[in-house]
Every structure is written in structure tokens, then in C-alpha cells.
Amino acid sequence: MTSHDELLAVACAAVDVARDIFLSRSPTRLTAKGARDMASDVDYAIERELTVMLRRRTPDIGFLGEEDGRSGPSGELIWTLDPIDGTVNFVHGSPLCGISLALLRDGTPIVGVVDLPKLGLRYTAASGLGAYRDGRRLAASGVSRLSEAVVAIGDYAVGKGAERKNDVRLAVTRRLAARAQRVRMHGSAAIDLVWLAEGRVDAVVMMANQPWDTAAGVVIAREAGAVVVDSDGSDHDSTSCATIGGDAALVPSLLAIVSGSVAEADRRVPV
């Protein structure tokens, strides 16, 4: 099984299973993952079910999950799953959460499925085949001026090093608030990226990157015509430090805001 459409079909079948678990269970047990971070028993149930299913359907492809880490063979292909992207939203009853499953080849996503069960929305893409929401082809907005752009920003940091990281994030927020049409924080990287693909937002700035959070959304956004890069302007992949996306003409403005915010935060570091 090597064609992108076959692999996308496998991913969709896996997310069908995950969606059933998501909608049939409520979180009853939380596991701390560090300061102010958590996973629910539903996260673990989804990830463990899909680990088994994907190993059975694609035995030659490895697996990387947010909760239990890496398993299976190593090679150029690997599945990566966030069983619930936006767990804090999920636990608090917010509909802004969902399942994110991607297939990467040498760190670059080639297949992606993001399902938002509480909103009844599913987004899919495979390299060269376009991006879709429930069968309707997607196209990013094409907004090229920051003053006309609605920009989604990633969550503020928690855990080790959060103060320094949030100096940068707060500077980014302040600079965007002064120049963008509007700034939004949804609390889900997957939602930010698929809504970039759909044109619900015009740009995304996340000062972080974990492949299970971003990979599916990145291939969906790219197949819808958006550009997604790291903070240095290089193509985004699983090793990137940040996730910045938008129209090709808009991205340079976003990168300038990020670089200026990093420099501002650096000046605040006590000597």
C-alpha cells in the first residue's frame, strides 16, 4: 500500500474509530503531564486503539503518538497522532478540539485527517490530491495584507521555560494586535491550520511545533494553497521550531513580526 489515496483511506478509517470513542466517552480521569498540562483517559483510549489498528493495516509503517510515544518499525514513513488536540478545551466542554492524524515521509506530512467531532467537521488532504472538508475542495483565503488578515495564534507556553517563551509570544500578540485586522486564539493547532485551509482565518502564527499537533493541518493547509514555514522562513517539517502560515505574500510580514518579537524578548534577558 503506497499510493496517497490508499493511505488517506486508511487514515480516514482510523479516524472513524477515534471519532466514535471521542463521542461516546466523557473524560473521567486526568493524568498530569507537567505544570498545567494534562491528558485524559479518552486521549489514551483513542491512541491505544489506533496504534493497534494502524499496526495491523500498515505493519511496515511506524507510529508516533502524543501520549505513548513511538512504536513499530523505523523508516521513511511514520504515522503521527494527537488523539485529542485541545484536551483542555475538551475537558472543559468546549467544541474547539479534535483528532489529528498524519502520515509523514522523512519528516514532511503527505497525508492528513483532522476531525472535529463536536462541530461535525472533517478535513482531509493528501499530497497532490487537494484538501477537502466533507467532500468540498478547500482554498485558502489568499489575503496578502496583514491589515486585512485574521490571524490565529498558538497557545501560550506552560511548563519549563514558559516565562521566556511567553515573552516572545506576548510580543508577537502585541505586534499582531497593532497591525492585523483581528487576532484569535482557539487552543488547538489542528483547528488553526485547517481553518487557514478553509479561509476562516487568513494566517497562523504558532511559536511551537509538535508533529502530532501540526502535521495533518500542515498538509491540509498546503494543499489548499497556503504556505507553511518555520520561523526562519524554511519549509515547515517535523523538526521545525515554529509553525507560521498564510498566503505567500503575507508570510514575510509574519516572519518580520516573529523575528522582531524574538529580538525584543532577548533584550529583556538580564545580563
Side-chain angles (χ1 to χ4, degrees):
M1 184 182 297
T2 57
S3 70
H4 289 177
D5 54 350
E6 289 178 307
L7 291 163
L8 178 58
V10 171
C12 287
V15 173
D16 286 343
V17 171
R19 187 176 189 276
D20 287 343
I21 297 171
F22 186 111
L23 290 173
S24 64
R25 302 189 191 183
S26 297
T28 59
R29 186 173 65 257
L30 302 178
T31 301
K33 296 169 56 178
R36 295 181 289 153
D37 197 9
M38 70 185 77
S40 75
D41 51 333
V42 184
D43 291 78
Y44 285 105
I46 291 171
E47 184 165 318
R48 289 167 184 172
E49 185 71 24
L50 265 61
T51 302
V52 173
M53 178 181 178
L54 290 169
R55 185 178 299 141
R56 184 176 65 249
R57 294 285 300 271
T58 55
D60 296 329
I61 300 177
F63 182 87
L64 174 64
E66 178 178 9
E67 311 308 341
D68 289 329
R70 186 161 186 157
S71 62
S74 58
E76 66 172 3
L77 294 175
I78 188 168
W79 295 106
T80 187
L81 170 73
D82 190 338
I84 302 178
D85 186 53
T87 296
V88 173
N89 288 354
F90 175 68
V91 169
H92 284 77
S94 166
L96 299 182
C97 51
I99 303 145
S100 177
L101 176 64
L103 180 67
L104 296 93
R105 174 178 285 124
D106 294 328
T108 298
I110 59 171
V111 167
V113 180
V114 172
D115 193 286
L116 310 180
K118 293 188 177 184
L119 297 178
L121 302 173
R122 177 172 292 188
Y123 300 82
T124 61
S127 294
L129 300 179
Y132 295 84
R133 193 203 85 189
D134 300 315
R136 181 177 66 83
R137 187 148 190 171
L138 300 177
S141 70
V143 168
S144 59
R145 295 182 180 180
L146 190 53
S147 62
E148 300 172 359
V150 176
V151 184
I153 58 172
D155 264 340
Y156 295 119
V158 297
K160 185 177 180 180
E163 183 175 358
R164 157 66 183 163
K165 293 173 183 176
N166 284 332
D167 280 344
V168 176
R169 287 161 169 75
L170 288 164
V172 167
T173 303
R174 184 170 58 254
R175 289 165 184 250
L176 284 172
R179 296 184 57 194
Q181 186 180 79
R182 291 292 188 277
V183 179
R184 298 287 183 256
M185 181 185 285
H186 302 115
S188 163
I191 286 177
D192 289 347
L193 286 161
V194 298
W195 284 0
L196 173 63
E198 194 173 12
R200 295 189 186 213
V201 300
D202 306 301
V204 168
V205 178
M206 292 180 239
M207 298 306 299
N209 172 56
Q210 294 289 355
W212 47 80
D213 290 326
T214 59
V218 166
V219 67
I220 292 167
R222 282 175 171 162
E223 286 295 310
V227 172
V228 188
V229 298
D230 198 353
S231 57
D232 63 358
S234 61
D235 285 344
H236 185 280
D237 62 21
S238 62
T239 66
S240 295
C241 297
T243 309
I244 297 164
D247 185 78
L250 180 58
V251 165
S253 297
L254 303 174
L255 291 173
I257 282 176
V258 169
S259 63
S261 299
V262 171
E264 178 183 331
D266 285 343
R267 290 194 295 271
R268 293 180 182 172
V269 176
V271 178

